[in-house]
Amino acid sequence: MKKLSVLWFAAIMTLPSFVTAQQKNYGHNDQGRPGFGMAQNGQVIGKVIDQASNKGVGFATVGVMHAKDSSVVTGVLSQENGDFSIAQLAAGKYILKINFVGYAPVYKDFSLTPQSMSRDLGNFKISPSTAMLKTVNVTANKPAYTMQLDKKVFDVSKSLTSVGGDATDVLKQVPGVNVDIDGNVSLRNGSPTIYVDGKTTPLTLDEIPAEDIARIEVITNPSSKYDASGQSGIINIILKKNRKPGINGMLRAGADTRGGNNFGGNVSVYQNPFNLTLSYFRHERNSPETTDLTRENLFNNTFLDQHSVGKNNGSFQMGRLGLDYFLDNRNTISFEGGLGGGGFNTSQSVLSNYMNNGKTIDSTGQSQTVSSRQFRFLSGDLSYKHNFQKEGHTLTADMSLRKFHTPVTIGSVNTQYFDNSGKPMPGIVSQQTQSAGNGNYFSGQVDYVNPLTDKSKLEAGLKTTISHSSNTYNLYFLNDSGEYIYNPQLSTDYNSVESVYAGYVQYADQLGKFSYQLGLRGEDYVYSGSIPNQGLTFKPESDKLGLYPSAYLTYKFSDYDQLQFNYTRRVDRPRFWQRFPFINYSNPLALTRGNPDLKPEYTNSFELNYNKILGQTNFMVSLYFRNTNNMITNYTEPYNHSADTTISYAINAHSNNVYGGEFTVQTQFTNWWNVTGDFNLFQTNINANVKSQDFSNSRFSWFGKVTSDMKLPADFSLQLQGNYNAPVPTPQGTTKEFGYVDVGIKKSFFKKKNLTATLTMADIFNTREREFDYTIPNVFVQNSIEKRASRMLRLNISYTFGKQNFQLFKRMANKSQQGAQQGGQDMQQGGQD
């Protein structure tokens, strides 16, 4: 297996250089056109405009073909305002082609010469094709959510309620996605894998500014091309990248009614062959929270009533640098680096009332917990892309490095007990914790795509990921002399190494209206953990080579009426913190710990999707079934046979079967109002047995969300968004229902609308909370309600600057030509003298 890993790593590192080396010796290709040794610094610009509304058309396909044989050279998508720019063109004759769904294509001949390598082709007005006039109406308000059979895409620029927030605020709006009060994300009631720009990230979701996000891609049943991890698919967060020529940027700042604030900005310099982007963001937040817990101890008929008040205050900052270098129109090298960190102070006060069978207080406990945490991270991504002469024929290679560092974090827990008269009892229990951690993550990947024909395609790739983490946790007790004494039995250090060596191949073809895609991914997963101070090692028996097939079958009744069935096998591996075997004493009555023997869970996922577009309404139905074995879930039990103290940790249940249907509809009522609704109904059947106790549970549940977007007069925009989640079963009880409503309004200023003010109110009715019912037969029945301050008013102001057109380049080109002409005149004059 080590030899295989070395081969994979070597292939990842050498393929890009091999392709580049193969291209360096060619000055002309086999058709006589300039090759990679020739200058490729030409550029054309223009704008796509809808003929009916006279407004820019975004996301139109703009392609460039050779005039000689109509072979494809390159292509781009128009920006949201219709502008487009195509660079890296050699001198020659070309044909420009503009395509947009439902519109007639537009063609234009043009040429570039050594004397004129930069051209403004002007505006291109497009109109609906005759065949589509009956079913497609031109609208000025582009929907935020687009649906396809293989994925759904959420345009964050249309989101108002998330402005000034973070990625969790954005994901709350995405159909099919749920975010709880702790920021945990679920997709169709399962755990997805979350990427940023297709890669893992050192950031938590609340550390990614909403304004830095361009769009969210949701892939509920990913093909073999993607990592097999994630019970219910992939959520890919795509960050913004500048593609405008010249110097452009944005400044933003905001504040909220909880005392939090944020500010940041970015600037981009794009001039062929470089595209440089710099950005910085900082935010401070204040997050108070409360928890109310009631417990009935069944074996001795006593009761516990607990109330806690906590606060989490801190700041986070991050800087990013991105650089694209266009070697020529077929080869691009990109680098992106990030540096950031922050610090958070947490405090919690817990009041516990211990009551007898008559619910009269016997004693009371008062605990105070304080901790301070710092963290730092560093990330770097290097990628290379080569476009072969045939359209869609590409080779890409990526390398990523992530480094994490958490300095020593000190926390303290002090508990004082009182008798039933309120008199302090002798002795104060005082604890101090010291923890620290480091982590490194590396990944290398090569992907190859070859369209064998105009209907078939072959894809293959290799990927290696290696991550290492080390953590220490030391516990100290205060003795009678006032000194903190180290407790080796409750202290630990833990190291882990996790590696995945993967390869995939998939083939797609089309036969008339029927198309299919078959794929197979292999992943060799290796995990090991150790506790050096105890001489213990952990290596789960389930570590082995896994095969993860995928199959997609699609029947296209028309471009607006399609049916698809797909199947994938996936794996969800335990997170590091779920395996870390230390006990967290921050709440003395509700302890938590990791489980080093936790095994991965495996899921067989089936979907049947139907997508129908009728006029201005897009409708999708998804019927799905997931069978998960070794399901990872939380389990709570009494700690050391105590009636008042519990400990929670992750376990492997036997299985979990989920089947249901998701119904998503998006309709454009007018050219200024569109609505998106998503409703998910599902049945959950959990089969769990822990320590000879049966914790099986089943329940029918549902959740839904509706988003209304309106463009109002005077450059106002209004967005309303509502969510509701019905009760969901767990192995030991039920997560109760909850719902909330957010609203946002935006006003644009100035002729260019480059100054905007956005006012949002999160959780208008203050109903966002989390409530659990827990039961352990013959031990206790427990209910807890966790509430974080969720109702908040937030104001954000942003200002964009820079050239919104191409006059900068045109002036530079004119100056260059004038300089050349002046130089020629000077030489001529000098010769005459």
mmCIF file of all heavy atoms in Angstrom, residues 779-792:
data_model
loop_
_atom_site.group_PDB
_atom_site.id
_atom_site.type_symbol
_atom_site.label_atom_id
_atom_site.label_comp_id
_atom_site.label_asym_id
_atom_site.label_seq_id
_atom_site.Cartn_x
_atom_site.Cartn_y
_atom_site.Cartn_z
ATOM 1 N N VAL A 779 -33.650 4.888 34.135
ATOM 2 C CA VAL A 779 -32.610 5.749 34.703
ATOM 3 C C VAL A 779 -33.127 7.182 34.851
ATOM 4 O O VAL A 779 -33.257 7.687 35.962
ATOM 5 C CB VAL A 779 -31.329 5.726 33.846
ATOM 6 C CG1 VAL A 779 -30.262 6.648 34.459
ATOM 7 C CG2 VAL A 779 -30.792 4.304 33.724
ATOM 8 N N PHE A 780 -33.418 7.855 33.735
ATOM 9 C CA PHE A 780 -33.975 9.202 33.848
ATOM 10 C C PHE A 780 -34.715 9.589 32.579
ATOM 11 O O PHE A 780 -34.558 8.993 31.511
ATOM 12 C CB PHE A 780 -32.902 10.244 34.181
ATOM 13 C CG PHE A 780 -31.864 10.471 33.106
ATOM 14 C CD1 PHE A 780 -32.188 11.077 31.903
ATOM 15 C CD2 PHE A 780 -30.541 10.097 33.316
ATOM 16 C CE1 PHE A 780 -31.239 11.305 30.934
ATOM 17 C CE2 PHE A 780 -29.587 10.315 32.344
ATOM 18 C CZ PHE A 780 -29.939 10.920 31.155
ATOM 19 N N VAL A 781 -35.529 10.647 32.725
ATOM 20 C CA VAL A 781 -36.194 11.338 31.613
ATOM 21 C C VAL A 781 -35.766 12.797 31.693
ATOM 22 O O VAL A 781 -35.876 13.415 32.755
ATOM 23 C CB VAL A 781 -37.729 11.219 31.694
ATOM 24 C CG1 VAL A 781 -38.384 12.025 30.586
ATOM 25 C CG2 VAL A 781 -38.153 9.765 31.610
ATOM 26 N N GLN A 782 -35.293 13.357 30.579
ATOM 27 C CA GLN A 782 -34.692 14.687 30.618
ATOM 28 C C GLN A 782 -35.202 15.546 29.473
ATOM 29 O O GLN A 782 -35.429 15.069 28.363
ATOM 30 C CB GLN A 782 -33.163 14.566 30.535
ATOM 31 C CG GLN A 782 -32.417 15.886 30.467
ATOM 32 C CD GLN A 782 -30.925 15.686 30.458
ATOM 33 O OE1 GLN A 782 -30.352 15.200 31.431
ATOM 34 N NE2 GLN A 782 -30.278 16.033 29.360
ATOM 35 N N ASN A 783 -35.377 16.835 29.752
ATOM 36 C CA ASN A 783 -35.740 17.815 28.742
ATOM 37 C C ASN A 783 -34.798 19.008 28.875
ATOM 38 O O ASN A 783 -34.516 19.471 29.980
ATOM 39 C CB ASN A 783 -37.192 18.276 28.914
ATOM 40 C CG ASN A 783 -37.555 19.423 27.977
ATOM 41 O OD1 ASN A 783 -37.396 20.588 28.310
ATOM 42 N ND2 ASN A 783 -38.034 19.068 26.793
ATOM 43 N N SER A 784 -34.288 19.486 27.732
ATOM 44 C CA SER A 784 -33.422 20.664 27.759
ATOM 45 C C SER A 784 -33.821 21.616 26.649
ATOM 46 O O SER A 784 -34.172 21.194 25.539
ATOM 47 C CB SER A 784 -31.948 20.267 27.600
ATOM 48 O OG SER A 784 -31.710 19.695 26.334
ATOM 49 N N ILE A 785 -33.746 22.905 26.932
ATOM 50 C CA ILE A 785 -34.049 23.955 25.961
ATOM 51 C C ILE A 785 -32.846 24.889 25.902
ATOM 52 O O ILE A 785 -32.495 25.524 26.901
ATOM 53 C CB ILE A 785 -35.316 24.742 26.344
ATOM 54 C CG1 ILE A 785 -36.524 23.810 26.441
ATOM 55 C CG2 ILE A 785 -35.572 25.855 25.335
ATOM 56 C CD1 ILE A 785 -37.783 24.493 26.933
ATOM 57 N N GLU A 786 -32.216 24.954 24.739
ATOM 58 C CA GLU A 786 -31.056 25.824 24.538
ATOM 59 C C GLU A 786 -31.468 27.007 23.679
ATOM 60 O O GLU A 786 -32.051 26.841 22.614
ATOM 61 C CB GLU A 786 -29.919 25.050 23.857
ATOM 62 C CG GLU A 786 -29.458 23.831 24.645
ATOM 63 C CD GLU A 786 -28.440 23.017 23.877
ATOM 64 O OE1 GLU A 786 -27.900 23.556 22.872
ATOM 65 O OE2 GLU A 786 -28.177 21.872 24.250
ATOM 66 N N LYS A 787 -31.131 28.184 24.160
ATOM 67 C CA LYS A 787 -31.536 29.402 23.464
ATOM 68 C C LYS A 787 -30.347 30.359 23.368
ATOM 69 O O LYS A 787 -29.788 30.768 24.385
ATOM 70 C CB LYS A 787 -32.689 30.080 24.206
ATOM 71 C CG LYS A 787 -33.095 31.434 23.662
ATOM 72 C CD LYS A 787 -33.667 31.347 22.266
ATOM 73 C CE LYS A 787 -34.110 32.696 21.760
ATOM 74 N NZ LYS A 787 -34.483 32.676 20.334
ATOM 75 N N ARG A 788 -29.950 30.665 22.137
ATOM 76 C CA ARG A 788 -28.961 31.696 21.917
ATOM 77 C C ARG A 788 -29.659 32.959 21.449
ATOM 78 O O ARG A 788 -30.691 32.897 20.803
ATOM 79 C CB ARG A 788 -27.934 31.257 20.867
ATOM 80 C CG ARG A 788 -27.032 30.138 21.352
ATOM 81 C CD ARG A 788 -25.877 29.906 20.422
ATOM 82 N NE ARG A 788 -24.981 28.893 20.939
ATOM 83 C CZ ARG A 788 -23.873 28.499 20.336
ATOM 84 N NH1 ARG A 788 -23.538 29.031 19.170
ATOM 85 N NH2 ARG A 788 -23.110 27.562 20.867
ATOM 86 N N ALA A 789 -29.072 34.100 21.787
ATOM 87 C CA ALA A 789 -29.674 35.368 21.374
ATOM 88 C C ALA A 789 -29.725 35.400 19.854
ATOM 89 O O ALA A 789 -28.695 35.505 19.183
ATOM 90 C CB ALA A 789 -28.856 36.538 21.911
ATOM 91 N N SER A 790 -30.915 35.261 19.309
ATOM 92 C CA SER A 790 -31.057 35.131 17.863
ATOM 93 C C SER A 790 -31.747 36.325 17.215
ATOM 94 O O SER A 790 -31.575 36.561 16.016
ATOM 95 C CB SER A 790 -31.843 33.855 17.522
ATOM 96 O OG SER A 790 -33.089 33.841 18.197
ATOM 97 N N ARG A 791 -32.536 37.067 17.979
ATOM 98 C CA ARG A 791 -33.182 38.250 17.402
ATOM 99 C C ARG A 791 -32.189 39.401 17.420
ATOM 100 O O ARG A 791 -31.691 39.786 18.483
ATOM 101 C CB ARG A 791 -34.448 38.615 18.164
ATOM 102 C CG ARG A 791 -35.164 39.804 17.542
ATOM 103 C CD ARG A 791 -36.596 39.906 17.983
ATOM 104 N NE ARG A 791 -36.752 39.969 19.418
ATOM 105 C CZ ARG A 791 -37.920 39.927 20.033
ATOM 106 N NH1 ARG A 791 -39.036 39.812 19.327
ATOM 107 N NH2 ARG A 791 -37.987 39.990 21.347
ATOM 108 N N MET A 792 -31.924 39.926 16.248
ATOM 109 C CA MET A 792 -30.856 40.922 16.147
ATOM 110 C C MET A 792 -31.114 41.814 14.947
ATOM 111 O O MET A 792 -31.511 41.357 13.873
ATOM 112 C CB MET A 792 -29.502 40.213 15.997
ATOM 113 C CG MET A 792 -28.314 41.132 15.786
ATOM 114 S SD MET A 792 -26.784 40.176 15.627
ATOM 115 C CE MET A 792 -27.137 39.242 14.134
#
